[in-house]
Amino acid sequence: MDVTSQVYIAAEAIVGVFSFVGNFLVLIAIFKNYQLQTATNCFIASLATADMLVGLVVAPLAAVSFVGWPNNFLGCVFTNSIVVAFTQVSIFNLLAVAMERFYAIKHPFSYQKNMTIHRAIGANAMVWCIGLLFGFLPVFGWNLGDLVTDEWTCNFVTVIDMEYVVYFHFLGCIIVPLIFIMAIYFYIFSIVRKQMSQIAALEISAPNQPSSSKFKKEIKAAKSLAIVIVLFAISWIPIHVLNTMSLLCGADCPYPFQLLLVTIILSHANSAMNPFLYAYGNSHFKTAFKKMFCRHYVEDNNSTFVPSSRTLPPKRQNGVQAYQDNKSNETLNAGQLSQNIQNSAESDRKSTNNANGEPAFNGASRSSSANSANSSSPTGGSSSSQVKMQIYSVENNTSKE
């Protein structure tokens, strides 16, 4: 095996690992975080699944096909059709995401009412069915089986018809959806420009208006997904340009074999780029990734990270709970003492008034006031003195703790 083949296979292995790990983390983040379980992220999860399978299946099979395996014709067709199938699923997912963003920004109230997670899952299922059907058309007969000779070797160009690749797959199922996607996003950003002034006026009159912040989140999501689509186009168009040249020009349009390998690696590397874009452009994904890699950090209400203590053992947890219960009881006792202070102060004021010879309505009231004052203290002292002693006792116990 020459150096070029070794470099290509090593590059496919690296791309496969990054694609699988990165997109698997995206799926775990969506699964574990309630904030990420939205209709939009259902489409992101579907795209991440396709990208993860590119790393898990497509990259290894591309390396296997490069060295001429498998020797069976239908097996070789199936191996090379998987690349086309997952490309179809990815582009149709991007089209579905663009339409979902358009719906969310153009008709926000209807979107909130009608776009549920179940409907998003149904749309993703339809995307996968159509994408896989279009991608596996060579397996169903649109291939170069009639041109197989005894000297046949397994390769993409020896089993996949270039007319299918260029006219149907590239022009019909990639370029046309990309045109629709770009038109949708141009329209979305035209709506954004018109409504930015309205949002600014709304923030001046009501800075904490929820509708304006919600619209800003929709705009940010649209921008992030637009970057994903641009990178998809940059990654996949070069390989299809070379395929178009091979079909239309043939030997009259030569290009280096190493360039073809680079474009193949670039197309597969697109699957490894998207997780970094999610982490960079979406604060919720960024928070979820930090939680996964920083086990001793928790998120506060302001979406910042502060150190958190480790999980306490059961005995320590019981001790902490007992301490908190004790503090709660002390708070209740303090409230009762405050009420006792007010009652004793009222009683002392009445006693003082009576001692100064203020008129009493009857002897019974004077007698009952005296009895209540004496009954509040076992020693016959004032009730305020007793309350002060109770407060001193509680403060002394608290200081010891």
Side-chain angles (χ1 to χ4, degrees):
M1 185 178 296
D2 58 359
V3 177
T4 302
S5 300
Q6 293 177 359
V7 172
Y8 171 75
I9 294 175
E12 287 284 9
I14 294 173
V15 168
V17 170
F18 276 93
S19 298
F20 176 78
V21 173
N23 289 284
F24 181 75
L25 291 177
V26 170
L27 295 176
I28 293 297
I30 295 175
F31 179 77
K32 286 191 173 183
N33 292 271
Y34 179 77
Q35 289 181 328
L36 293 176
Q37 296 173 7
T38 62
T40 301
N41 288 335
C42 285
F43 296 96
I44 297 298
S46 178
L47 181 61
T49 302
D51 290 336
M52 183 183 69
L53 291 176
V54 168
L56 183 64
V57 178
V58 173
L61 289 182
V64 168
S65 177
F66 180 76
V67 297
W69 294 338
N71 295 325
N72 179 270
F73 178 80
L74 289 180
C76 185
V77 173
F78 179 80
T79 299
N80 288 277
S81 296
I82 290 177
V83 179
V84 182
F86 287 143
T87 306
Q88 291 294 156
V89 172
S90 296
I91 189 64
F92 288 159
N93 267 304
L94 293 176
L95 178 60
V97 168
M99 295 175 67
E100 187 264 347
R101 288 294 85 205
F102 171 80
Y103 186 27
I105 293 179
K106 179 65 176 178
H107 306 286
F109 298 105
S110 177
Y111 173 85
Q112 293 293 330
K113 180 180 179 181
N114 298 320
M115 181 54 72
T116 62
I117 293 179
H118 293 289
R119 291 181 178 177
I121 293 174
N124 286 324
M126 183 174 62
V127 163
W128 275 84
C129 290
I130 297 175
L132 293 177
L133 177 63
F134 287 180
F136 284 112
L137 283 180
V139 178
F140 302 141
W142 197 344
N143 54 51
L144 299 178
D146 297 336
L147 302 179
V148 174
T149 63
D150 294 336
E151 298 178 355
W152 172 87
T153 57
C154 181
N155 198 291
F156 186 87
V157 296
T158 61
V159 295
I160 304 297
D161 191 347
M162 277 297 147
E163 291 185 355
Y164 161 79
V165 173
V166 174
Y167 296 133
F168 183 83
H169 175 60
F170 177 49
L171 297 179
C173 297
I174 291 183
I175 295 299
V176 172
L178 279 177
I179 292 174
F180 275 104
I181 290 170
M182 288 189 292
I184 289 172
Y185 275 98
F186 275 124
Y187 185 77
I188 288 175
F189 291 128
S190 66
I191 295 176
V192 169
R193 292 186 61 183
K194 292 178 181 179
Q195 296 190 6
M196 286 305 293
S197 59
Q198 299 178 2
I199 293 176
L202 183 63
E203 288 183 341
I204 294 174
S205 59
N208 296 323
Q209 186 73 17
S211 60
S212 62
S213 60
K214 179 66 177 177
F215 187 77
K216 282 187 172 183
K217 290 181 180 179
E218 301 292 351
I219 294 172
K220 187 175 181 181
K223 289 181 179 179
S224 176
L225 294 171
I227 296 174
V228 172
I229 291 167
V230 169
L231 285 179
F232 179 88
I234 294 174
S235 300
W236 279 100
I237 286 180
I239 180 64
H240 287 291
V241 169
L242 295 183
N243 291 332
T244 304
M245 291 171 57
S246 298
L247 176 65
L248 300 180
C249 301
D252 296 333
C253 300
Y255 51 82
F257 180 68
Q258 291 79 6
L259 177 62
L260 176 63
L261 297 181
V262 169
T263 57
I264 293 174
I265 293 294
L266 179 63
S267 63
H268 296 168
N270 176 255
S271 299
M273 299 177 188
N274 291 336
F276 297 98
L277 295 177
Y278 304 148
Y280 175 77
N282 190 307
S283 59
H284 292 309
F285 273 108
K286 189 183 298 183
T287 299
F289 291 150
K290 286 184 178 179
K291 283 183 177 180
M292 284 191 287
F293 290 106
C294 304
R295 292 294 183 181
H296 305 304
Y297 285 79
V298 295
E299 184 185 10
D300 63 8
N301 294 330
N302 295 324
S303 296
T304 57
F305 288 86
V306 295
S308 67
S309 59
R310 296 182 179 179
T311 304
L312 294 176
K315 292 183 179 180
R316 289 290 304 279
Q317 290 179 353
N318 295 335
V320 170
Q321 184 63 38
Y323 178 78
Q324 292 175 348
D325 293 340
N326 187 26
K327 286 296 182 182
S328 300
N329 293 332
E330 289 180 2
T331 303
L332 294 175
N333 292 335
Q336 294 176 357
L337 290 175
S338 177
Q339 185 65 32
N340 291 338
I341 290 173
Q342 294 178 359
N343 294 336
S344 63
E346 181 68 20
S347 177
D348 290 344
R349 185 182 62 79
K350 291 181 180 179
S351 299
T352 303
N353 291 338
N354 293 334
N356 292 334
E358 292 186 0
F361 292 101
N362 53 51
S365 0
R366 188 164 46 247
S367 175
S368 66
S369 298
N371 292 335
S372 63
N374 291 331
S375 63
S376 64
S377 174
T379 59
S382 66
S383 59
S384 61
S385 299
Q386 183 183 5
V387 170
K388 292 178 180 178
M389 291 296 295
Q390 292 175 356
I391 294 175
Y392 174 78
S393 176
V394 170
E395 291 179 347
N396 189 25
N397 293 333
T398 303
S399 64
K400 289 179 180 180
E401 292 180 355

